[in-house]
Amino acid sequence: MNLERRKTDDSRINNQWPLAKEGFFFLFLGIVIAVIFLFLGWLFLSVFTGIITLFIIFFFRDPSRNNEAMENAVFTPADGTMLEIVDVNDNDNPLGEPAKKISIFMSIFNVHVNRIPISGRIKNIVYNPGKFFSANLDKASSYNENNRVFLETSDFRKIVVIQIAGLIARRILCWIREGDQVEAGQRFGLIRFGSRLEVYLPANSKIVVRPGQKVKAGVTIIGYLQ
């Protein structure tokens, strides 16, 4: 199983470091290996390992972000590029009613910490094992390993956020649990090394983003609940 789901982890949700905690192990390992290579006189390998370690710092970066949680505004849960915005019926989506599906692709160069799109309560979290197609392909949405987070707002409207593994993303992390009260923009998870997120909103939601647009988690508004 490739999902890491702990009990609610406030230390990660309220991270004060510029690096996600999952990155510290890889950072320490890279430094140790680089020093060993240097001690052995293998300068090329030491420099190469140092470069990889710098990439690890870049990949696991976790910048602080502030937002103005406007009423009924829905933020993107992921950094990346908008892939598609489509209408789906109640048989094609986990919301169980006609909905708008919004897909975001995260490359290895994007911040990979995921954030809550709108304040509410976590009603359910469902993990589904699957395959590992490239996350920018449509079939990734249907067949790839994923973690589904069902959220209900204070006025009982429902949305679903899906963390989807990609070709080289083999670990989905979820730091929240069912019953948690969550706030728009708070961290809730991470997917390692390139992936995809999808958001399902009620069909009458007003969407304000477009395919190809670059977005930032917890900052860019993707739509409004009507």
Side-chain angles (χ1 to χ4, degrees):
M1 183 169 117
N2 293 295
L3 171 71
E4 286 187 22
R5 186 168 68 203
R6 308 174 177 86
K7 65 180 181 179
T8 303
D9 194 333
D10 291 334
S11 68
R12 285 170 170 80
I13 290 171
N14 301 312
N15 182 33
Q16 300 298 312
W17 295 89
L19 193 73
K21 290 194 173 183
E22 279 69 20
F24 282 107
F25 170 77
F26 297 100
L27 175 60
F28 175 76
L29 183 63
I31 292 173
V32 169
I33 293 174
V35 170
I36 290 174
F37 284 153
L38 185 63
F39 179 78
L40 294 174
W42 299 345
L43 183 60
F44 174 79
L45 288 178
S46 179
V47 171
F48 179 76
T49 305
I51 292 172
I52 296 298
T53 303
L54 289 175
F55 174 76
I56 289 172
I57 295 173
F58 176 76
F59 178 84
F60 284 102
R61 67 195 187 281
D62 184 12
S64 296
R65 289 181 177 168
N66 298 313
N67 63 62
E68 296 183 8
M70 301 168 61
E71 185 176 4
N72 297 327
V74 181
F75 295 96
T76 174
D79 283 34
T81 304
M82 301 298 303
L83 284 178
E84 63 176 3
I85 303 163
V86 296
D87 294 313
V88 292
N89 62 42
D90 55 357
N91 296 319
D92 295 331
N93 76 88
L95 201 59
E97 61 185 49
K100 292 187 181 296
K101 182 179 81 168
I102 302 167
S103 302
I104 306 108
F105 173 68
M106 295 190 295
S107 77
I108 59 172
F109 301 107
N110 293 124
V111 173
H112 273 60
V113 174
N114 305 144
R115 293 177 180 263
I116 294 292
I118 192 170
S119 298
R121 183 174 295 277
I122 303 302
K123 299 295 291 183
N124 198 13
I125 299 175
V126 179
Y127 166 75
N128 297 290
K131 301 183 181 298
F132 298 95
F133 294 114
S134 179
N136 62 337
L137 300 178
D138 289 340
K139 61 183 178 181
S141 177
S142 302
Y143 299 111
N144 279 23
E145 174 180 293
N146 63 80
N147 186 52
R148 303 183 174 201
V149 178
F150 295 78
L151 186 152
E152 184 178 82
T153 66
S154 59
D155 53 0
F156 305 108
R157 285 179 286 188
K158 298 177 176 63
I159 76 168
V160 179
V161 180
I162 307 181
Q163 298 170 289
I164 302 173
L167 181 64
I168 55 175
R170 298 299 174 114
R171 183 70 64 184
I172 297 174
L173 298 100
C174 186
W175 306 323
I176 54 175
R177 62 179 176 180
E178 296 169 12
D180 282 356
Q181 190 70 36
V182 292
E183 298 295 328
Q186 83 169 53
R187 303 169 179 88
F188 79 90
L190 180 148
I191 312 176
R192 292 181 190 165
F193 306 118
S195 48
R196 175 185 183 128
L197 266 80
E198 292 180 345
V199 184
Y200 288 83
L201 303 179
N204 66 343
S205 300
K206 178 183 178 182
I207 306 302
V208 296
V209 288
R210 63 187 184 281
Q213 181 176 338
K214 303 295 184 183
V215 294
K216 287 188 175 182
V219 174
T220 306
I221 295 174
I222 58 175
Y224 296 87
L225 300 182
Q226 300 292 300

